[in-house]
Amino acid sequence: MATTDSSEIPNHHARLEVCSTRPAYREGRKPTAVKVYTIHHESSYLLVQGVPAVGAGQELSRLFGSFGSVVECRPLDDYPTDTFSEAYLIKFQKIQSAR
């Protein structure tokens, strides 16, 4: 195994300082320079599948409204579903409500 000199470390391997500008809701248990988040963690949208195709949009909006303020609730016509079911896209005002 070859050893490398510390002066040959690429910039993307250099250890960075702890990030101090991260929002409080993104803080972990241990302070680090980098946090990895996916769209799953940061999205205020929910995709609800398997809703019976009987025009249940108003009822769905009311039910999800108990978790927080719903900005938008609409059916996704182009989303692949079964013959008798629909998929809805629900957007909350706050990320915490969608979580």
Side-chain angles (χ1 to χ4, degrees), residues 51-63 73 86 88:
V51 178
V54 293
Q58 294 292 334
E59 180 70 16
L60 198 63
S61 181
R62 188 181 63 76
L63 288 171
C73 179
E86 294 179 326
Y88 281 84

Side-chain angles (χ1 to χ4, degrees), residues 9-72:
I9 296 176
N11 288 341
H12 65 275
H13 286 281
R15 189 170 280 233
L16 301 174
E17 296 295 321
V18 173
C19 180
S20 61
T21 60
R22 188 177 295 119
Y25 72 92
R26 291 183 64 182
E27 284 296 331
R29 293 183 182 147
K30 184 173 132 184
T32 59
V34 177
K35 288 277 187 190
V36 176
Y37 284 87
T38 63
I39 191 67
H40 165 75
H41 294 104
E42 294 296 325
S43 182
S44 60
Y45 290 91
L46 285 181
L47 177 65
V48 181
Q49 302 177 31
V51 178
V54 293
Q58 294 292 334
E59 180 70 16
L60 198 63
S61 181
R62 188 181 63 76
L63 288 171
F64 279 95
S66 65
F67 295 103
S69 179
V70 175
V71 175
E72 178 183 8

